[in-house]
Each structure stands twice: as structure tokens, then as C-alpha cells.
Amino acid sequence: MTASFVMRAACAMLLMTTSATAYAQTADIRAEADGKARAIVDQLTLDEKVAQLLNVAPAIPRLGIPAYNWWTESLHGAIGAVPTTNFPEPIGLAATFDAPLVKQVAATISTEVRALHTLGRQTGHLGSIGTGLDTWSPNINLFRDPRWGRGQETYGEDPYLTAHIGVAFIQGIQGADPELPQVVATPKHFAVHSGPEPSRHVDNIFPTPHDLEDSYLPAFRAAIVEGKAGSIMCAYNRVDGQPACGSHMLLQDYLRGAWGFTGYVVSDCDAVVDIYDHHKYAPDAATGVAVALKYGVDNECNTATLGGRKDLGDRYRESLARGHISMGDIDTALVRLFSARYRNGDLPGLSARKADATPPGAIGTRDHGTLALTTAEKSLVLLKNDGVLPLKPGTRIALAGPLADATRVLRGNYSSARSAPPISVADGLKQAMPGSAITLIPFSPSITDGDLVPGSALRTPDGKAGIMAQYFNATGQNGFAAKPVLTRTEPSLLSSAAEYRQVSDRHSILWTGYLVAPETGLYRLALTGVKGELSLNGKPVLSARDYSRWAEPLQMTQLRLTRGDRLAIRLQAESGVSTNPAIFWKRVTDDLDRDLAAGTRDADVVVAVVGLTSDLEGEEMPVKVEGFSGGDKTTLDLPADQRAFLEKARALGKPLIVVAMNGSAIDLSWAKDNASAIVEAWYPGQSGGLAVGNILSGKADPGGRLPVTFYKGVEDLPPFTDYSMDGRTYRYFKGKPVYPFGYGLSYTSFRYAPLSVEPLNGAAENGLRVRTTVTNTGSRTGDDVAQLYITPPRFEGAPRTALRGFQLVTLKPGEERPVEFILSPRDLSFVSRAGDRGLIPGTYQLDIGSGQPGETTQGQKASYSISRAVSLPK
């Protein structure tokens, strides 16, 4: 017996002992939490029980249990009562192809979510949205079609990329021990959910067994099996006839059966109502809630709670009385919910959970802001560069386009307006290139217009910076106190009463002060979520009569102002009724041709910032304008005014640099043929404008890669409503894209060494170890994403090729670094037409490089063979 054999045996025994100990500790934690939860549930009355099944769980004072709101959102930044850190939209996070970075981002978000919970405790507002120690993130649905408005919330079109970025996010949110999560992660929307938005409450999707196993479920399996997510959100739509929130196949066969899920299930908001109201799957409310509860939905999100409705538990009471559900069904759900509250630290008393409240001061720190900037830089994708980039110091720049000075666009969907002050491209470029003359050219009125008026443009009635806010507590069913409980100067209308203990959950706010025009010009203004008016010299210029007024796109009024003009503000909002109280504005021109010619006359280059906003593409919304419908896109074209503008800018004869901001693939074929450079910026977060400036100036290298295919038009795709994957995404698309999945350039170049492919334990069926070396052959430090693709032999259901590994490498000039991929049998597996996953005999091509095989010259290939079929579990 050799010494090495003894050492290996000892290590193996230690690993087994450690694993067994960890398993026992996990079991002990869960058993203790479940026991304490059961002790609570056993003491509850029926009224108390049914109330706890909703997203707003009321306090139970006699048992010392505080209120808890399960509704917390943090796809790319916490959303709460105070300004939080806003990271790039998830599609931008995916573009980094950097799982460790995404895990760091998620850990930062988790810290801020915990700090918001602490703030809720300190102010007595634990019943408010955004105060829970769980979060309804990430969105790991597959971005199968670029028309889907919510695709921006996802990690793109590839199941492998989505799974690995999703697991990283979950691990960052929950922390090192999923049994004692810092914050419970809730991947969504389970499952087969990706538009259209307007029909999501009635859609009935029939995915093929192949597509279900190959495309729609892998990320969810990874989230539960590898990421150990403590919760999951079921979707609105039906799958094979059953509502996703009442699906035996999804919630029982896969989730709790094959994947061994032991956490709790929450419904998407009003998805349980959809079971009986829209799908008509159940004849009435009592039967509908029974369908959800019996199949495993533990917590129902119901938007009626936003208005304070208190009778929603009656549906469960009636269902129990009719015999559709048992007390045991209710108790099972409640034990799961209270157990989670013990394990995340909301409820004290769990022996393994020490008190570790995160102070509110941990929100929006300098380090968090630095991470937001770094992440935005790494998310940007350089699609074309004829040598104009990076810009040289002193370059004279004409900056134009509807999004050149925009700030709302940076935040994207599911974001808080209460983030750090956003940095537009105009401001970011000035910071990045202080020695350059930058001329900002206003754009004509556009459907993308509408930025929040910043605090710098507001003054209190006595002329101080900010706006005066008076808070009035409710005094009954419909009235409010005559005197304010709190009067203070706020930086903007975005103040939240949840910051203040003396303000009750039900209250009204009165804002007074002035909006001061910073310069002479033509402005567009809009109000949302308020009653009241703006007036100039005593005459109303903009008024609103309805608290809930909210139009997407904004309904804007045009007004010419002189620098220093003071618009008097008197606006009012009411909690639970008002929707997003805000003043929006945009400075525009009434003669774009004139201003474009004048502004570019002395310029060396033209930087055109174009794209969309998440007020056009996003979650179900009442938008019906050219190119957009109900939250989705009807075309991949840029808006018509932007297309015309780009042609005019190109005709000036100056190098044209196009910066695109969007959450989905758009047609960039014209820019590919006519622009000197193209940068895809997504919705890059609070520091997005500075990130763009740093990339254009060369202070940072563009390391991002496309997580979606950029097609030329919707005519290249199957119908949006068709959930078959045939003809979609790089894996099954048969046409020629404008830019392919995985594509992206750098300011330097790379070389890959020939591949070394080694079967694990002597057979490829056990997995592969693949090695190469990447060398920076250029003159600048830069990033490359080493992408590993497997191209299978031809069989029915086989993809063209499939991503099965990726690693971001940052190299100095001349530096080389070994890169290794360990591919498991699941990584090597494919799915038959019948929907069976396994190792399929045949010879496979393996490529590692800067992009897809055939799409990059920076790469190497090899082959391997599978000799016998091996079936893998669901």
C-alpha cells in the first residue's frame, strides 16, 4: 500500500465525515425551525391562519409575532423606502458572462435587503413592501423571443448561461448556508413563461417534452438542486392545461419529486385569482384557492392587499368549510412559511441563527457604487469598431440622440427610482473625458422622453434646495388629520413615509415649492400619481386630477421656459391610492436639423445614444404605439424618429459611434453597415453613463458578450405565441443573425492554444477535463470570455451547437493564463425528441474561443466520443 493511496483514502474519509456532519447540521436546523413553526401554527385560530397565507402577513401580538410582507423585489437592486444601489438590468448582468461577479452583485443586494428590513423594524413599517428577508428574484425564464418585454429581466436565451448565472445570483442572495439564508431567493416564473404579456393570464402552453427538458426547465432545476433556492414563484400561464400554480407536473412531479424541493412556493401576483377568474380552471374562488393550496402553493400574492383589503382569507375559510381543503393543507403551508422566517432571522430563537441585524447605513455605500460602475463597464458589448475607439484625449464630440442625457432609461425594469443619483451618458462622458469639448444636442419630442426631475431643479417655498413635504396621518376610514405629523425638506417627490416612525402606513403627502428651469429652451412635462398642479406666474400650466393617473408612455405637456423661470408646485398623494408620485421632464428641440448641423459643425465624431426604455418594453402595461403593444415589441426596429436621425447624422460625414440602450435584441443591421462603432449598453444602472464614458475613452475595456441573438427582424422568427424552440435562439435558428449570441469585441486580441481533452476516470461518460491557454496578443489589458461549445452528431432534436462552459479572463499585454473546464455528464448530455436527457452515443465537436464556432477566429477545436447511452435523471 503506497503512501499516496493512504493519503487519498484519508482525504476521502475526511470528506465523507465532513459531508455527513454538514448533512446532520442541515437536518438539525430544518427540524428545529420546522418544530418552532409547528408550535406557532398549533396556537393559531382559523382567522389567524388564513390571513397568514397572503403576501401581507399581519402581526399576531398575542404571540409576539411581527407583521411580515413577503413582497420584496431585487432583480438588480433592492427596492425599498430609501435610495439603494441600482445595478445593470439582468440582461446586462448576463452579458458580463461572469458568474463570480454576479454572485458579488447579489451578495451586495442581499446586504441592502437586510438593511431595509432593519429600517422597517426601526420605523415600525414591517408590513410595507420591500421589508421582508426574502426576495422574488431572480427571473430565470428563457428569453426565447426578442419581442418579450420582460426578457430584459432574464439572463438571456441560453439555458446553460441562465442556469449558471442564476445559481450565482441565488448563492449571493442567500449566503454561504442555504439553510440559514441571509435572504431567501425566489427564482421565477415557474415555468414555460415568456410572453406575450397581454395574454399571460389566459395562455395555455403545450411545450413538447423535448423543449420542456431541453430549454424551459434546466435553469429551474439548477436553481433548486445546485443553488438550493429556498423558495420558488409559480407563473400565470397554464402548462398542458393546468395552471402553473396548480400544476401537478410542475409542483409535484418535478419540484418536490425529482428535485427534492423542501422550501415554500409563492404565486405570482394574482396568479391564484387567475385560476378561477381568467383560466376558468375552477368555477369559483373557494375552489380556485384549493387548487393552488393542494398542489403546493404556500403563499398567495394578491394585489388587493395593496389597497388594504382584509377579507381575502375568507376564500380559504369557505374552501375548508366545503371540504375542498383540510386543516392539514393549511398547516403544511404555514409551517413552511414560519420555518423560513425562523431560518432567515426574521423570527428569533433558532439556536444556529445569531442576531446579526444589518444597519441601514449599509445601503448605498461608496463600495456598492463602485461595484455598480464596474459591473456596468463589464456588461457593455463592443459590436463594431473600425478603429475610432477608444477616443483620443481632446477629441471634440457631438453628443446627440433621445437618450444622450436621459436618466430614467438607465434603471430599466423592476428598479427603484430611489437609487443613487443616476449618471447620464452626457454627464459620464464629461467625467471620463474632461479635456474634450462635448456639445450636447437636444432631440425632438420622442416616445422615450421622461426623466425624473432631479433635486437640483427643486426649491422649497423659502428658496432652499429640495421641496417641502408635509405628511398627514389618517384619522378614520377616509379622512386625514388637519395638521401634518411631520414637515420636512425632501430632495424630491420620491420620499417615502416608510422612513419615518411617526408617519402611519395610511397617510397623505402635500408637496409645495418650485421647479426652476436650469436653462432656456423647450421642455416637456408630465405628472404621475398625484393631484394638483404646476403653475407659472399664477397660471396653471400642468394639472392632474386623479391620484392613480399613470400612462405609459407618459402624457406630456410642452412648455417653453426661460432660464430661472419658477414653476410653483402644489401636489398631493395618498398612500395605497397614488401610483409612483413624480414629476417628469425632458428638454427637447423644435428643429433637430438646425441643431444637429450647428452642434456637429466643429466635432471630430458624433456619438448617437439611441434605443428603447422599460416604459415601452416591460411587464404588462397599457402601451399601444408604433412598434410596441401591451409591454411587448411588435418589431425589432428602433423608433422611426431615431432611424431618421441616424441617417441624418451619418450624412454629416463625421465618424458615427452608436450607443444603444435597450433590454432586448434590436435590428442593428443599418448601424453595422454605416456606423464606425457600435456599443450595446443595455439598461446599465445608476452609473451607466459613466461606464459608457469609460468604455468610449478607453479607461475600461469592453468585456461583455451578447447573451441573446440579434436578428434582423421578426420575419426571421416563428410567431411570438409559438413556444416551439425550432427556429429560435442560436441553438435552433437557421438564418444569419446580425450579431450572434456570445459575440463581442475587445480593444485587444487573444490567442488560444490547442485543446487538451481528458476523459475523467478513463471514460467520457464520466465527464471531461478540457484545458487550453489564453494569451493576450495585443498592446492593452483586456477581457475575453472563453466560451466552450459542444456540437453534437445529428439526431432528431439536436441543436446546432450548445454552450457548456464559460470563463472570463482579464489579461495584461503578453500575459497568458491556463483555462480549465470540468464537464460533468450532465454538461455532456443532450435531449432526445421524446424528452429524455442522457449521453447519446456518437462523435462530438468541442470548441473553445471568443465566440461560437464559425463566428470567431480566436479559438480551437477538438473532438470526443460517447460510446454508450447513459440516461440521466430529470
Side-chain angles (χ1 to χ4, degrees):
M1 183 179 296
T2 65
S4 61
F5 176 83
V6 173
M7 180 63 71
R8 289 198 302 271
C11 289
M13 183 64 70
L14 177 62
L15 181 62
M16 292 172 60
T17 303
T18 303
S19 298
T21 301
Y23 178 81
Q25 290 174 342
T26 295
D28 288 346
I29 291 169
R30 181 63 66 114
E32 182 185 0
D34 286 354
K36 288 181 175 295
R38 172 66 65 181
I40 289 175
V41 173
D42 287 346
Q43 298 178 69
L44 299 181
T45 67
L46 179 58
D47 284 347
E48 290 169 335
K49 286 182 177 183
V50 296
Q52 294 291 316
L53 295 172
L54 279 299
N55 57 286
V56 178
I60 308 174
R62 67 185 183 85
L63 298 180
I65 297 172
Y68 190 88
N69 196 319
W70 295 90
W71 192 336
T72 296
E73 308 279 4
S74 56
L75 284 171
H76 55 119
I79 300 177
V82 297
T84 56
T85 307
N86 179 239
F87 294 92
E89 188 74 25
I91 195 69
L93 296 179
T96 69
F97 276 70
D98 190 345
L101 176 64
V102 172
K103 183 176 180 179
Q104 185 182 0
V105 167
T108 301
I109 294 171
S110 180
T111 296
E112 297 199 357
V113 170
R114 289 189 65 82
L116 287 170
H117 178 77
T118 302
L119 179 64
R121 283 188 178 277
Q122 292 176 350
T123 60
H125 291 292
L126 278 179
S128 300
I129 290 176
T131 59
L133 289 175
D134 63 280
T135 181
W136 294 347
S137 304
N139 183 338
I140 55 174
N141 292 125
L142 203 66
F143 198 174
R144 66 181 176 88
D145 192 296
R147 286 166 283 199
W148 186 33
R150 296 189 73 180
Q152 61 187 285
E153 302 172 24
T154 75
Y155 300 130
E157 69 180 37
D158 181 71
Y160 183 92
L161 178 65
T162 299
H164 282 71
I165 297 295
V167 167
F169 189 94
I170 290 165
Q171 291 175 338
I173 286 288
Q174 295 195 155
D177 187 350
E179 284 300 300
L180 293 171
Q182 295 299 303
V183 173
V184 179
T186 306
K188 61 185 182 184
H189 311 83
F190 189 55
V192 200
H193 180 83
S194 52
E197 283 298 298
S199 59
R200 62 183 182 167
H201 300 284
V202 296
D203 282 339
N204 189 10
I205 312 301
F206 290 89
T208 66
H210 171 273
D211 289 347
L212 192 66
E213 177 66 30
D214 177 68
S215 297
Y216 293 118
L217 293 186
F220 285 100
R221 183 188 189 278
I224 301 305
V225 176
E226 299 170 33
K228 308 295 183 184
S231 175
I232 196 168
M233 176 181 283
C234 52
Y236 288 117
N237 52 280
R238 280 177 285 168
V239 180
D240 289 351
Q242 288 189 316
C245 289
S247 169
H248 190 281
M249 176 184 71
L250 293 177
L251 300 180
Q252 297 295 323
D253 294 347
Y254 279 99
L255 185 62
R256 297 202 184 273
W259 302 343
F261 179 66
T262 57
Y264 64 90
V265 177
V266 60
S267 77
D268 205 341
C269 294
D270 295 336
V272 171
V273 175
D274 283 347
I275 293 174
Y276 52 89
D277 255 10
H278 292 109
H279 292 305
K280 306 299 183 182
Y281 185 79
D284 54 36
T287 313
V289 298
V291 170
L293 190 67
K294 295 284 284 188
Y295 281 120
V297 175
D298 306 296
N299 185 240
E300 178 194 351
C301 177
N302 192 305
T303 58
T305 59
L306 295 173
R309 187 171 166 184
K310 304 297 184 183
D311 63 347
L312 295 170
D314 292 350
R315 298 165 302 155
Y316 293 91
R317 179 200 300 279
E318 183 178 352
S319 187
L320 178 68
R322 290 193 203 170
H324 294 316
I325 60 175
S326 68
M327 191 67 77
D329 295 326
I330 295 174
D331 290 354
T332 295
L334 293 179
V335 167
R336 289 171 181 156
L337 295 175
F338 281 113
S339 176
R341 290 178 65 178
Y342 271 112
R343 289 183 293 104
N344 68 14
D346 173 63
L347 296 178
L350 199 62
S351 59
R353 179 102 234 184
K354 307 307 178 186
D356 59 348
T358 303
I363 299 172
T365 66
R366 183 185 297 272
D367 286 346
H368 294 183
T370 298
L371 181 60
L373 173 60
T374 298
T375 307
E377 291 170 348
K378 291 182 176 295
S379 74
L380 269 56
V381 185
L382 180 62
L383 295 175
K384 181 181 180 180
N385 184 20
D386 68 2
V388 68
L389 295 179
L391 296 174
K392 295 178 174 60
T395 300
R396 295 170 299 179
I397 302 168
L399 181 61
L403 302 178
D405 61 346
T407 54
R408 169 63 185 94
V409 65
L410 303 172
R411 291 194 292 105
N413 201 18
Y414 271 81
S415 60
S416 173
R418 302 184 188 98
S419 66
I423 303 172
S424 68
V425 172
D427 289 338
L429 202 52
K430 291 174 184 175
Q431 291 184 40
M433 303 189 70
S436 293
I438 300 173
T439 302
L440 177 62
I441 303 168
F443 198 70
S444 50
S446 171
I447 59 173
T448 60
D449 288 348
D451 295 319
L452 291 167
V453 171
S456 60
L458 298 175
R459 294 292 180 271
T460 62
D462 58 358
K464 296 177 182 177
I467 190 167
M468 179 182 287
Q470 295 175 287
Y471 297 83
F472 301 83
N473 284 341
T475 57
Q477 195 69 17
N478 298 307
F480 295 93
K483 294 182 178 181
V485 68
L486 176 66
T487 299
R488 55 176 284 125
T489 298
E490 301 285 8
S492 71
L493 268 67
L494 297 177
S495 56
S496 170
E499 295 181 62
Y500 312 120
R501 175 174 288 276
Q502 62 267 52
V503 181
S504 66
D505 287 338
R506 187 162 174 266
H507 61 273
S508 67
I509 311 175
L510 175 66
W511 292 280
T512 53
Y514 297 94
L515 189 163
V516 182
E519 55 186 307
T520 298
L522 188 63
Y523 290 81
R524 305 183 77 202
L525 294 162
L527 299 173
T528 63
V530 293
K531 285 182 180 179
E533 65 182 26
L534 304 184
S535 58
L536 180 63
N537 299 324
K539 296 181 180 180
V541 295
L542 182 61
S543 61
R545 300 177 181 176
D546 184 356
Y547 276 138
S548 59
R549 177 184 173 190
W550 177 252
E552 296 162 314
L554 297 168
Q555 303 302 303
M556 307 194 81
T557 296
Q558 203 156 283
L559 184 66
R560 191 170 295 278
L561 297 173
T562 301
R563 181 177 180 178
D565 277 349
R566 296 176 8 133
L567 296 177
I569 299 171
R570 186 175 179 83
L571 299 172
Q572 188 175 355
E574 183 179 326
S575 64
V577 179
S578 299
T579 305
N580 300 317
I583 309 174
F584 291 88
W585 71 349
K586 180 73 172 182
R587 182 170 172 254
V588 296
T589 179
D590 55 4
D591 194 335
L592 179 60
D593 292 349
R594 175 199 65 206
D595 290 351
L596 187 61
T600 59
R601 186 173 298 118
D602 297 326
D604 298 315
V605 298
V606 178
V607 176
V609 189
V610 297
L612 313 176
T613 75
S614 58
D615 292 324
L616 294 170
E617 56 170 356
E619 191 166 7
E620 182 182 9
M621 62 177 80
V623 170
K624 186 72 174 178
V625 296
E626 182 182 1
F628 306 91
S629 179
D632 299 318
K633 299 188 305 187
T634 58
T635 177
L636 304 189
D637 295 336
L638 287 169
D641 57 347
Q642 296 186 32
R643 301 197 305 271
F645 155 69
L646 288 174
E647 292 183 359
K648 292 175 182 177
R650 178 69 180 89
L652 295 169
K654 307 290 177 75
L656 176 63
I657 300 167
V658 174
V659 176
M661 291 188 176
N662 40 278
S664 58
I666 54 177
D667 177 16
L668 290 175
S669 58
W670 183 93
K672 184 178 182 180
D673 293 339
N674 292 277
S676 296
I678 306 171
V679 175
E680 173 55 63
W682 316 108
Y683 299 135
Q686 66 184 43
S687 299
L690 182 54
V692 171
N694 287 344
I695 293 296
L696 296 185
S697 66
K699 290 185 175 180
D701 186 69
R705 301 295 183 262
L706 293 181
V708 290
T709 301
F710 274 49
Y711 309 94
K712 189 176 190 311
V714 295
E715 59 276 3
D716 293 337
L717 294 165
F720 186 15
T721 54
D722 182 359
Y723 266 72
S724 169
M725 292 302 297
D726 185 35
R728 298 185 184 283
T729 77
Y730 79 95
R731 292 179 303 137
Y732 297 105
F733 182 57
K734 301 176 181 66
K736 178 68 176 175
V738 177
Y739 287 108
F741 172 92
Y743 184 82
L745 304 175
S746 170
Y747 288 150
T748 187
S749 57
F750 301 91
R751 181 179 65 242
Y752 285 75
L755 308 184
S756 166
V757 181
E758 175 190 348
L760 299 180
N761 298 321
E765 289 78 7
N766 300 319
L768 296 175
R769 175 181 286 106
V770 185
R771 298 187 180 98
T772 186
T773 298
V774 186
T775 303
N776 182 344
T777 57
S779 59
R780 297 173 55 95
T781 296
D783 295 339
D784 195 27
V785 177
Q787 302 170 45
L788 186 153
Y789 292 87
I790 296 176
T791 303
R794 292 180 63 85
F795 62 85
E796 199 169 6
R800 290 177 49 255
T801 191
L803 181 75
R804 295 300 163 88
F806 60 90
Q807 290 185 36
L808 177 71
V809 289
T810 302
L811 300 173
K812 298 175 182 177
E815 184 182 3
E816 65 179 37
R817 183 173 303 162
V819 174
E820 179 180 89
F821 294 92
I822 302 296
L823 303 180
S824 69
R826 184 165 289 273
D827 294 332
L828 302 178
S829 70
F830 287 87
V831 179
S832 70
R833 183 179 185 276
D836 299 318
R837 181 175 291 277
L839 301 179
I840 299 174
T843 299
Y844 293 75
Q845 178 178 304
L846 191 152
D847 291 79
I848 299 179
S850 299
Q852 286 185 52
E855 300 288 358
T856 178
T857 58
Q858 299 178 156
Q860 295 284 349
K861 63 183 60 193
S863 64
Y864 68 92
S865 295
I866 297 294
S867 59
R868 59 186 175 86
V870 179
S871 296
L872 294 179
K874 288 182 180 180

